[in-house]
Amino acid sequence: MRPWREGDEESLAQQASNRRIWNNVRDFFPYPYTIRDASSWVRSNKSYSQPNNFAIDVDGRAVGNIGFTVKDDIYRYNAEIGYWLGEDYWGRGITSEILPVMVGYIFKNFQVNRLFACVLEGNTASMRVLEKAGFRAEAIHRKAAVKNNQYLDEYIYAILREEFIVQTNNRSEIQGITTPD
């Protein structure tokens, strides 16, 4: 995991422009995903001293993203996490390795007590990744999402700061992230 940087655009567009990925993410994620979309994404994410979106890097190529959004108002100590990985890299355990690192980064650097993820019906691989990282299934919002003109259930998974600390036995889980100096 590393911050987004200039030069990631071509790999990002190549990996992200995939209908099977788009079927499992929110509609604001463009499809097809163009070089222009990639340039905009990289430009909007490369300048933060404490980034909230990271490139998933395999052999120097950006092949996915993992990020989070801290909520506001009465939910201000909650953050939503999301991720995607290029299809060529599915089944290699990459997301299962990166997710706990990202959770550690969030809990160490941000005032977040609860981290949650929303998973669309049918995305069992993502559900397994979350469960392996210690997230618990909290709810099913029945037919709450619309994707490809179909109503889908939305599964909510969450982990609390105290659960993560117990799970990691107070050891640091932020190795593997390079942040700008």
Side-chain angles (χ1 to χ4, degrees), residues 82-133:
Y83 47 84
W84 66 267
L85 183 66
E87 186 175 3
D88 294 342
Y89 299 90
W90 292 358
R92 297 187 190 181
I94 294 168
T95 311
S96 292
E97 182 180 323
I98 288 172
L99 183 58
V101 175
M102 185 62 154
V103 171
Y105 168 79
I106 295 166
F107 284 144
K108 180 176 186 223
N109 294 291
F110 298 87
Q111 287 190 311
V112 170
N113 183 56
R114 178 178 171 271
L115 190 55
F116 70 96
C118 304
V119 182
L120 295 179
E121 174 182 335
N123 190 353
T124 55
S126 191
M127 293 176 195
R128 282 193 305 272
V129 166
L130 289 161
E131 289 166 356
K132 282 172 70 173

Side-chain angles (χ1 to χ4, degrees), residues 45-174:
N45 281 287
K46 70 177 186 156
S47 61
Y48 295 108
S49 61
Q50 244 185 345
N52 65 334
N53 282 293
F54 290 92
I56 299 173
D57 184 301
V58 175
D59 299 328
R61 297 185 68 227
V63 299
N65 183 77
I66 187 164
F68 67 98
T69 304
V70 177
K71 300 304 181 178
D72 60 13
D73 198 33
I74 64 170
Y75 303 107
R76 64 188 170 273
Y77 295 107
N78 288 257
E80 181 177 3
I81 193 165
Y83 47 84
W84 66 267
L85 183 66
E87 186 175 3
D88 294 342
Y89 299 90
W90 292 358
R92 297 187 190 181
I94 294 168
T95 311
S96 292
E97 182 180 323
I98 288 172
L99 183 58
V101 175
M102 185 62 154
V103 171
Y105 168 79
I106 295 166
F107 284 144
K108 180 176 186 223
N109 294 291
F110 298 87
Q111 287 190 311
V112 170
N113 183 56
R114 178 178 171 271
L115 190 55
F116 70 96
C118 304
V119 182
L120 295 179
E121 174 182 335
N123 190 353
T124 55
S126 191
M127 293 176 195
R128 282 193 305 272
V129 166
L130 289 161
E131 289 166 356
K132 282 172 70 173
F135 283 69
R136 294 185 194 182
E138 284 189 341
I140 300 172
H141 295 168
R142 297 178 314 127
K143 306 303 179 202
V146 176
K147 190 72 178 188
N148 293 315
N149 295 316
Q150 293 182 0
Y151 291 110
L152 298 174
D153 291 348
E154 179 185 49
Y155 291 73
I156 308 300
Y157 284 80
I159 188 168
L160 302 177
R161 175 185 294 272
E162 65 192 42
E163 294 168 338
F164 182 75
I165 290 169
V166 167
Q167 187 181 92
T168 58
N169 294 322
N170 296 317
R171 71 177 188 267
S172 173
E173 287 291 327
I174 60 165

